[in-house]
Amino acid sequence: MSKYVLVTGGAGYIGSHTVLALTAKGYTPVIVDDFRNANEVVLNGLSTILGFEPILHRVDICDPSAMRAIFQSYVFHGVIHFAAYKAVGESVQKPLMYYQNNLAGLVNILSLMEEFKVLNFVFSSSCTVYGEPKETKEVHEETPKSLPESPYGYTKWIGEQIISDFFKSAPEFHLMNLRYFNPVGAHPSAKIGEFPIGKPNNLLPFVTQTAIGKQDCLTVFGDDYPTRDGSCVRDYIHVMDLAEAHVQAIQFLEKQENGCLEAVNIGTGTGTTVLEVIRVFEKITNQKLNYRIGPRREGDVIEIYANAVKSNTLLSWKATRTIEDAVRDAWNWELALNQQA
Ligand code: UD1
């Protein structure tokens, strides 16, 4: 019998890579995505890699009757909930849109899981829930959370709270918050990858778009921070490693006899500065990147990276790909996109 896993936002960046990772382990992903923030190119790429068309429902996760019909059509083994808005700046401009989609969507999915007794649930959370780390820059799951800087951050923070309150009322559920650090890279086939709509906010898409000529110049947001070269430090995690972490999470949850709620960091455990990312890009692609040093970006965390012990002990998962792998795969994806254009 097929082990159906509902993947909301399955045509998006992390979702599409997770669809591949699930399929590789024998699960049957059922994608729900209304393509407001996804692209047909990625869907075609998925079909090419898989050799068949994945199951897809073009539905808004906030539409209760359409979602109920999907829950009626499959016996879901679990749910991985990606579908959400994720641009920090936009969330400041359109907070209600963020709260509506990210929180109403989550509540809708959890309600249907309760109604249909689908026990296993993985939530796309973020290291943004830690805010700016106080003493040590390496954060573990017990590091106290801080109040977020943006409505986007609040949707992850409140999302975790909703899940926690739900668990108190329904302790038989198996729930996991995966706190992602900075997802980067693409599938090594260059058939799927990140597809930023409009000007990218995140670093690596901006780097590759600058190198290909879609952007004129990368601005490094500050080089006067108290870090080893003055630029901010992040924990960049290859999207295929991140995708595989979701499969490990589902495999962990399905083994549990009792209900559980866990938060797990998904990062490499190593921090890399913005300037180091640029150096890696220049080395891997053997070209100079056009960049300039600009002012700090408001709300930026100075330095944060994962303590990655719990993911290893609880999920038997750890990152296996390097920042070099991620940069090479992101660049090959940019080149492939450019050929299609
Ligand atoms: C951002 C969000 C975070 C969210 C994540 C989703 C903020 C403050 N945080 O994380 O909540 O979960 O995206 O992917 O926006 N940089 C440049 N020039 C650029 C772009 C980025 O120097 O053009 C620097 C940033 O200052 C930062 C690093 O690159 O130091 C990474 O930035 P980004 O990719 O936007 O990720 P985060 O800020 O870590």
Side-chain angles (χ1 to χ4, degrees), residues 14 86-89 125-129 149-150 152-153 156 180-184 194 200-207 217-222 225 231-236 272-274 277-278 292 295-302 304:
I14 306 170
K86 61 166 189 177
V88 175
S125 190
S126 165
C127 67
T128 196
V129 299
E149 291 277 344
S150 69
Y152 159 78
K156 295 301 173 189
Y180 313 152
F181 283 68
N182 287 61
V184 286
E194 189 167 6
N201 298 302
N202 296 120
L203 177 63
L204 204 54
F206 213 104
V207 166
C217 179
L218 170 78
T219 302
V220 174
F221 296 140
Y225 285 107
S231 63
C232 293
V233 174
R234 295 288 186 277
D235 184 338
Y236 295 95
T272 307
T273 71
V274 176
V277 171
I278 294 173
R292 67 177 191 95
R296 294 178 176 194
R297 179 171 70 178
E298 203 184 326
D300 252 342
V301 163
I302 302 169
I304 187 167

Side-chain angles (χ1 to χ4, degrees), residues 213-275:
K214 289 183 191 162
Q215 308 293 338
D216 292 337
C217 179
L218 170 78
T219 302
V220 174
F221 296 140
D223 72 345
D224 55 354
Y225 285 107
T227 61
R228 54 183 172 267
D229 61 19
S231 63
C232 293
V233 174
R234 295 288 186 277
D235 184 338
Y236 295 95
I237 169 91
H238 194 296
V239 66
M240 280 309 298
D241 278 330
L242 178 54
E244 287 162 9
H246 290 79
V247 182
Q248 296 298 109
I250 287 286
Q251 289 181 334
F252 169 83
L253 294 174
E254 69 190 6
K255 280 201 304 249
Q256 301 309 302
E257 285 177 9
N258 300 315
C260 62
L261 168 59
E262 298 284 351
V264 184
N265 287 342
I266 303 295
T268 65
T270 304
T272 307
T273 71
V274 176
L275 292 169

Side-chain angles (χ1 to χ4, degrees), residues 37-206:
N37 210 2
N39 194 285
E40 302 289 336
V41 169
V42 170
L43 189 63
N44 295 338
L46 259 184
S47 302
T48 307
I49 301 169
L50 290 168
F52 58 87
E53 284 185 21
I55 302 172
L56 165 68
H57 296 273
R58 292 175 188 259
V59 162
D60 177 354
I61 51 152
C62 293
D63 179 342
S65 57
M67 287 305 298
R68 176 167 293 102
I70 293 171
F71 272 77
Q72 278 164 344
S73 306
Y74 302 90
V75 177
F76 285 127
H77 184 69
V79 175
I80 306 180
H81 179 45
F82 293 107
Y85 292 133
K86 61 166 189 177
V88 175
E90 184 185 51
S91 78
V92 177
Q93 304 302 319
K94 299 176 183 169
L96 299 183
M97 186 176 99
Y98 271 67
Y99 287 123
Q100 161 62 26
N101 187 49
N102 293 11
L103 297 181
L106 171 64
V107 170
N108 197 26
I109 298 291
L110 288 176
S111 306
L112 287 163
M113 289 178 61
E114 188 170 40
E115 185 180 333
F116 287 86
K117 304 206 168 19
V118 179
L119 292 184
N120 301 318
F121 179 72
V122 180
F123 178 59
S124 268
S125 190
S126 165
C127 67
T128 196
V129 299
Y130 298 116
E132 177 77 59
K134 303 251 160 18
E135 288 97 40
T136 158
K137 306 301 176 187
E138 181 187 274
V139 290
H140 57 80
E141 290 78 357
E142 303 312 317
T143 302
K145 294 192 210 171
S146 300
L147 291 182
E149 291 277 344
S150 69
Y152 159 78
Y154 269 103
T155 66
K156 295 301 173 189
W157 204 97
I158 301 169
E160 288 203 2
Q161 187 61 39
I162 290 172
I163 291 165
S164 166
D165 291 338
F166 170 63
F167 181 60
K168 284 182 199 137
S169 75
E172 69 278 21
F173 276 77
H174 306 166
L175 309 165
M176 185 170 288
N177 299 321
L178 293 186
R179 294 179 180 157
Y180 313 152
F181 283 68
N182 287 61
V184 286
H187 190 264
S189 68
K191 303 278 185 221
I192 62 169
E194 189 167 6
F195 203 102
I197 292 171
K199 206 172 183 169
N201 298 302
N202 296 120
L203 177 63
L204 204 54
F206 213 104

